Amino acid sequence: MKIAFHNRQRKLELDWEELKADYAALTEGLSQNLLQRPPRWLPKKDLKAIFARGSLSVAIVSDRTIRQINKEWRSINKATDVLSFPLELTEPQLAPYGLPPEALAEMLEDDPNQWIVGEIIISAEKAVAQAEQFGHGVRREMAFLFVHGCLHVLGFDHMTKAEEKEMFGRQTEILSLAGFKRDP
């Protein structure tokens, strides 16, 4: 899965190369985890397509911006740490236009904007505050928020105890696969 990054804040200086490398490793961990144990609502063939040809938009924003978005889309007038917007989990089909599958695959690989799976918005200020609160680095908190957002984009939730156990268990596994273990 390709990732398009957008920095829409000025409070946290980010090492974009490090962030890109971290998110690539986390995406690989996400792929491994989900392909080994696909969720019931997302067939393995769709997951393979998402990780091979889909793209994801990730915006790092201020508390002010995320608060506005949270108010507009969720009617909650407060800043949050991460928002996720699933867009299209099923690969667009261009077959009706007479394209052979190889041409479709090649076109989608060359154009990451062709199929946007979802959007994740992360508050830089919340990441800093939560890193301090939980006693780990901002880098680890940004990794956690990215994985949490990705799982939401892919249909996971934590509204019930069973959902929470599933989602949070996967988060820990994915973070660990990418080398982000929680400090004791």
Side-chain angles (χ1 to χ4, degrees):
M1 182 164 36
K2 294 182 173 102
I3 302 170
F5 290 94
H6 311 280
N7 186 18
R8 302 289 186 250
Q9 56 84 42
R10 291 184 222 120
K11 298 203 177 196
L12 176 62
E13 190 160 328
L14 296 165
D15 180 335
W16 285 101
E17 294 309 311
E18 180 179 72
L19 191 66
K20 288 176 184 180
D22 288 350
Y23 286 10
L26 290 162
T27 301
E28 179 60 32
L30 187 69
S31 172
Q32 286 177 31
N33 181 282
L34 293 176
L35 288 171
Q36 284 176 353
R37 295 185 341 263
R40 69 185 182 292
W41 61 87
L42 205 50
K44 199 173 206 174
K45 70 174 185 59
D46 289 347
L47 283 166
K48 285 180 179 180
I50 286 168
F51 289 109
R53 291 179 293 284
S55 66
L56 187 66
S57 172
V58 177
I60 313 299
V61 302
S62 66
D63 270 357
R64 180 176 174 223
T65 299
I66 208 163
R67 179 182 185 153
Q68 290 170 334
I69 297 167
N70 203 21
K71 182 179 180 184
E72 181 178 340
W73 289 94
R74 298 177 62 224
S75 299
I76 299 173
N77 190 16
K78 70 176 193 172
T80 189
D81 53 1
V82 62
L83 291 170
S84 303
F85 297 95
L87 298 176
E88 186 68 50
L89 295 181
T90 305
E91 186 173 17
Q93 296 299 313
L94 299 180
Y97 301 103
L99 291 175
E102 311 81 47
L104 174 64
E106 185 178 317
M107 185 177 84
L108 290 174
E109 275 186 54
D110 290 342
D111 184 4
N113 296 319
Q114 184 68 31
W115 176 25
I116 301 174
V117 174
E119 296 181 347
I120 297 172
I121 302 168
I122 297 172
S123 166
E125 292 163 85
K126 287 286 186 216
V128 170
Q130 288 175 181
E132 188 175 304
Q133 177 185 353
F134 297 122
H136 53 243
V138 173
R139 184 176 176 195
R140 194 230 181 252
E141 188 63 20
M142 293 290 286
F144 169 81
L145 294 173
F146 174 74
V147 171
H148 189 84
C150 284
L151 288 172
H152 274 308
V153 163
L154 295 172
F156 287 86
D157 212 340
H158 45 86
M159 299 301 286
T160 68
K161 286 287 183 195
E163 289 174 341
E164 181 178 296
K165 183 179 178 184
E166 168 85 7
M167 184 173 177
F168 291 5
R170 285 191 190 249
Q171 283 173 175
T172 301
E173 292 167 10
I174 294 161
L175 287 162
S176 184
L177 280 170
F180 289 95
K181 298 188 184 339
R182 187 169 230 158
D183 295 332

